Amino acid sequence: QLQLVESGGGLVQPGGSLRLTCAVSGSPLDYFIGWFRQAPGKEREGVSCISKSGAGTSSADSVKERFTISRDNAENTVYLQMNSLKPEDTGVYYCAASSSSWVGRYYCSIRAREFGSWGQGTQVTVSS
């Protein structure tokens, strides 16, 4: 079982930037990693994912061109760079690791059912 710890959340004005960090312990090189978010009163939604090699990524349409996911396998860390933040980006952000390691090195998904280990979340608030 992997352990994931998020950090980097906070309060930022619209148009600002934040970088979230997900520190992963265990054997993270075998798993793809995703970022999810949940706003008050709304369902959790997938934001971005990155393959175990780092060569494959995918993002939700709502964050494309604004958010960038990356990973440093030497440091067992995954990042989510968030630019041009909007109030609707507000929520608790979670990182998660895939349930299975039997996936291609370029594959990832932002479907929550494909993830088995979750972090505790970090709050992001976009407000003036």
Side-chain angles (χ1 to χ4, degrees), residues 44-57:
R44 179 177 52 190
E45 66 170 329
V47 175
S48 293
C49 66
I50 188 164
S51 69
K52 55 186 180 182
S53 70
T57 62

Side-chain angles (χ1 to χ4, degrees), residues 4 16 24 30 35 38 49 60 73 76 98 104 109 111 123 127:
L4 303 97
V24 189
D30 294 333
W35 283 98
Q38 188 165 22
C49 66
N73 283 342
N76 292 343
S98 59
S109 165
R111 290 185 290 267
Q123 176 71 43
S127 175

Side-chain angles (χ1 to χ4, degrees), residues 30-82:
D30 294 333
Y31 301 87
F32 63 85
I33 305 294
W35 283 98
F36 294 79
R37 67 186 181 188
Q38 188 165 22
K42 294 188 177 181
E43 292 187 356
R44 179 177 52 190
E45 66 170 329
V47 175
S48 293
C49 66
I50 188 164
S51 69
K52 55 186 180 182
S53 70
T57 62
S58 182
S59 294
D61 289 342
S62 59
V63 305
K64 282 180 180 177
E65 309 300 330
R66 299 188 298 123
F67 290 10
T68 303
I69 190 170
S70 61
R71 70 189 292 167
D72 183 341
N73 283 342
E75 298 293 330
N76 292 343
T77 303
V78 176
Y79 304 99
L80 185 68
Q81 178 66 43
M82 306 187 295

Side-chain angles (χ1 to χ4, degrees), residues 1-3 25-27 31 116-118:
Q1 185 92 8
L2 300 181
Q3 292 187 328
S25 63
S27 301
Y31 301 87
S117 301
W118 295 80

